[in-house]
Amino acid sequence: MSVSPYSFPSLNSKHLLWRPEAQLLPKPDMQLLSWLLDPGSLTQRLRQMSHERFNVKVLEEGWQQHCAPSLLQCFPPHVVSARMWSRKVVLRCGETPWVAAHSLIPVSSMEGPLKRLRRLNERPLGEFLFRDPHLLRSQLEVVRSGAVWGRRSLFITHHRPLLVAEFFLPALLEEDAQRLLTSRAALNAC
């Protein structure tokens, strides 16, 4: 699965079989699990790892009319709507894509503080979400598509739901593995 302006992993894909991590076989390795199951802010973790070279590239955003029925089941029944605000971005270190992300926000959630999400532009969604001290997050679900693993979860912020999926790209995992090797080598040299 490559990420380019022409192809993008999507929450709406009917081919993705999302499951709780405990139901996945074979299991991802520990390095990948540390990314998939991290409950903290992905934005913050990427910023630290990139030495402030982190940036967001918006590929596509706008109103989406129809979502797959399996996707709509992720939302509470009282907010399911035919219209969702869809935002597809790539989280990068410099020009290198590390994470492909897709967010869906029901039209009914785009009121009050969340209406700002339509104007995030190149700012990360995670920066907004993790400022809410009352942020709730559903159990993470994980998926594998070829060599790429992803996760999704429903966030409740300001009493309104939004769905976020993140796909961890090979360049991120390679950089992370290289950093782990460098750290171990430095420890062994001491």
Side-chain angles (χ1 to χ4, degrees):
M1 176 185 306
S2 65
V3 175
S4 73
Y6 308 107
S7 65
F8 186 88
S10 173
L11 279 167
N12 273 336
S13 175
K14 296 174 184 152
H15 306 292
L16 297 179
L17 298 172
W18 296 93
R19 298 180 183 188
E21 179 270 328
Q23 294 179 7
L24 287 177
L25 291 175
K27 298 271 186 211
D29 63 34
M30 291 304 292
Q31 177 212 13
L32 183 56
L33 278 175
S34 79
W35 288 97
L36 290 169
L37 304 180
D38 187 346
S41 168
L42 178 60
T43 298
Q44 183 178 1
R45 188 171 175 185
L46 293 174
R47 277 191 197 282
Q48 290 170 346
M49 189 170 154
S50 72
H51 302 290
E52 297 305 318
R53 293 180 52 224
F54 171 82
N55 66 83
V56 177
K57 169 107 174 128
V58 177
L59 298 180
E60 179 184 314
E61 63 182 336
W63 291 109
Q64 183 173 316
Q65 288 301 96
H66 301 286
C67 293
S70 61
L71 183 61
L72 294 176
Q73 292 173 354
C74 296
F75 290 95
H78 69 281
V79 296
V80 172
S81 169
R83 278 181 47 156
M84 300 266 182
W85 182 256
S86 174
R87 182 173 193 249
K88 296 178 182 181
V89 302
V90 177
L91 309 177
R92 306 182 306 179
C93 175
E95 295 295 316
T96 305
W98 277 1
V99 176
H102 186 187
S103 307
L104 286 173
I105 308 167
V107 67
S108 60
S109 290
M110 296 294 279
E111 300 170 357
L114 295 188
K115 67 182 169 188
R116 291 185 281 186
L117 298 182
R118 287 180 47 195
R119 296 183 306 277
L120 279 175
N121 300 317
E122 304 291 322
R123 290 176 304 213
L125 174 62
E127 209 169 70
F128 175 86
L129 291 176
F130 283 88
R131 283 186 187 150
D132 180 358
H134 305 292
L135 179 70
L136 298 175
R137 186 180 202 174
S138 69
Q139 177 184 11
L140 288 165
E141 292 182 309
V142 180
V143 69
R144 181 178 184 185
S145 179
V148 175
W149 286 83
R151 68 181 187 178
R152 77 176 180 186
S153 55
L154 188 72
F155 287 90
I156 308 291
T157 183
H158 302 282
H159 308 289
R160 303 197 185 280
L162 60 138
L163 189 63
V164 177
E166 297 145 334
F167 298 88
F168 298 92
L169 304 175
L172 170 68
L173 301 176
E174 290 165 12
E175 178 70 23
D176 190 40
Q178 186 60 44
R179 287 174 190 267
L180 288 173
L181 287 173
T182 302
S183 295
R184 286 184 187 140
L187 285 174
N188 291 337
C190 292

